[in-house]
Amino acid sequence: MTSQLPEEQPGDASTPSLTWDAAMPSHVAIIMDGNNRWAKARGMSGVRGHRAGVEAVRAVIQRAAERQVKTLSLFAFSSENWKRPAAEVHALMELFLMALKREVKKLNERNIRLTIIGEQRGFSHAIQKYIQRAEALTADNTGMHLIIAANYGGQWDIARAARELAEQVSAGELQPEDIDEARFDAAMECRHVTPIDLCIRTSGEQRLSNFMLWQLAYAELYFSPLLWPDFGAEALDVALNDFCQRRRRFGMTDEQVEAQGA
């Protein structure tokens, strides 16, 4: 679990040379944090910070696609974020709706498939409608899979999957002994999506904040001190390169890993 040191900003001479090879992560997840602090440091409203964060999202999506990341998951709005001031929540919903209206066409043109995970019934009818349109428009795209977690919580996701399987058992459609990791995974919001290889969190915070807990079981964790609006393409490159330098053991010894690579 490595943190990017504050003095190692993207583009500095201390940044390691980038190497792109088979060690690249297939699934990258990002907990986007620091919009409010970014705005506060500049004497701006929190809404301005969230708007600046959208620019970072665009840059990161583009660079992830260029690096041939197969799946990119972004934590946009947690189920706990409803506790924020009403004015901020309203602004976030307006920003979310605007992004669904303006950005999806660009994603489709770049062959990116979009999936929104989370409890959609918590959103307005307009947002739900545009989510459905966005997913339908991009459903057949074969490029990078972009997953946006909105009104999402990892514990909610696990509980919902457990309830779905319990209902199948109650209906006689499934036997309890048939429930294993694969069956449970297929009941999650991200059905049949590969496990997360690399999870990035910005703003210096070092916690998971209830994000995709099931899929994060064996993820490598990377913590950046950069506030989200400052986390762009070069910062993503640094995180990806850090991942490429790591040895993933999955419970094995170094000798076993080396033997597999021989």
Side-chain angles (χ1 to χ4, degrees):
M1 208 183 324
T2 306
S3 297
Q4 179 187 342
L5 299 176
E7 63 268 27
E8 293 181 351
Q9 300 297 325
D12 284 355
S14 57
T15 299
S17 59
L18 302 179
T19 55
W20 314 116
D21 53 28
M24 280 286 289
S26 173
H27 186 171
V28 175
I30 305 179
I31 301 172
M32 305 178 293
D33 192 14
N35 289 341
N36 272 321
R37 277 171 282 171
W38 183 92
K40 185 177 180 180
R42 290 160 176 77
M44 301 176 180
S45 68
V47 175
R48 289 285 297 276
H50 292 302
R51 291 185 182 277
V54 172
E55 296 299 323
V57 169
R58 292 192 186 105
V60 166
I61 290 173
Q62 179 175 335
R63 182 53 57 89
E66 291 170 354
R67 298 303 184 205
Q68 298 184 335
V69 171
K70 292 182 174 60
T71 304
L72 175 65
S73 296
L74 303 178
F75 203 6
F77 189 84
S78 78
S79 51
E80 290 81 16
N81 285 154
W82 295 108
K83 301 173 186 177
R84 294 194 171 194
E88 181 178 351
V89 171
H90 177 75
L92 283 168
M93 292 302 103
E94 290 293 315
L95 195 58
F96 187 27
L97 182 58
M98 182 185 70
L100 286 170
K101 291 179 177 179
R102 298 182 181 179
E103 303 295 329
V104 174
K105 183 179 179 181
K106 300 174 186 176
L107 296 177
N108 189 52
E109 290 171 351
R110 293 164 58 188
N111 196 32
I112 293 174
R113 179 161 63 102
L114 176 65
T115 299
I116 309 293
I117 62 171
E119 180 51 86
Q120 296 185 14
R121 289 178 297 182
F123 294 126
S124 67
H125 176 72
I127 289 178
Q128 292 183 53
K129 179 179 69 174
Y130 276 97
I131 287 175
Q132 293 169 4
R133 288 184 180 180
E135 292 184 332
L137 178 64
T138 64
D140 295 328
N141 290 346
T142 57
M144 187 176 73
H145 186 190
L146 174 63
I147 299 172
I148 303 294
N151 196 21
Y152 176 88
Q155 292 177 336
W156 165 84
D157 196 2
I158 292 171
R160 187 203 52 75
R163 183 169 58 251
E164 178 180 310
L165 293 173
E167 290 171 351
Q168 292 178 23
V169 171
S170 179
E173 302 169 355
L174 185 67
Q175 295 300 311
E177 57 268 25
D178 294 331
I179 300 175
D180 56 12
E181 290 90 339
R183 180 84 66 170
F184 201 95
D185 184 72
M188 301 293 289
E189 277 278 278
C190 291
R191 301 170 193 267
H192 309 297
V193 171
T194 58
I196 295 169
D197 298 304
L198 171 63
C199 179
I200 300 167
R201 183 174 184 136
T202 61
S203 85
E205 303 292 349
Q206 299 187 15
R207 55 180 177 270
L208 298 179
S209 294
N210 198 21
F211 180 48
M212 297 183 78
L213 301 177
W214 177 266
Q215 295 83 0
L216 280 168
Y218 279 97
E220 296 292 321
L221 306 181
Y222 180 91
F223 301 108
S224 169
L226 297 175
L227 301 175
W228 176 247
D230 293 326
F231 191 94
E234 291 184 352
L236 179 62
D237 277 345
V238 173
L240 293 175
N241 188 65
D242 181 90
F243 176 89
C244 290
Q245 313 308 314
R246 302 188 188 188
R247 169 172 285 180
R248 307 183 76 195
R249 298 181 181 85
F250 297 101
M252 296 183 290
T253 65
D254 283 334
E255 291 75 16
Q256 288 174 308
V257 174
E258 290 170 1
Q260 278 194 342

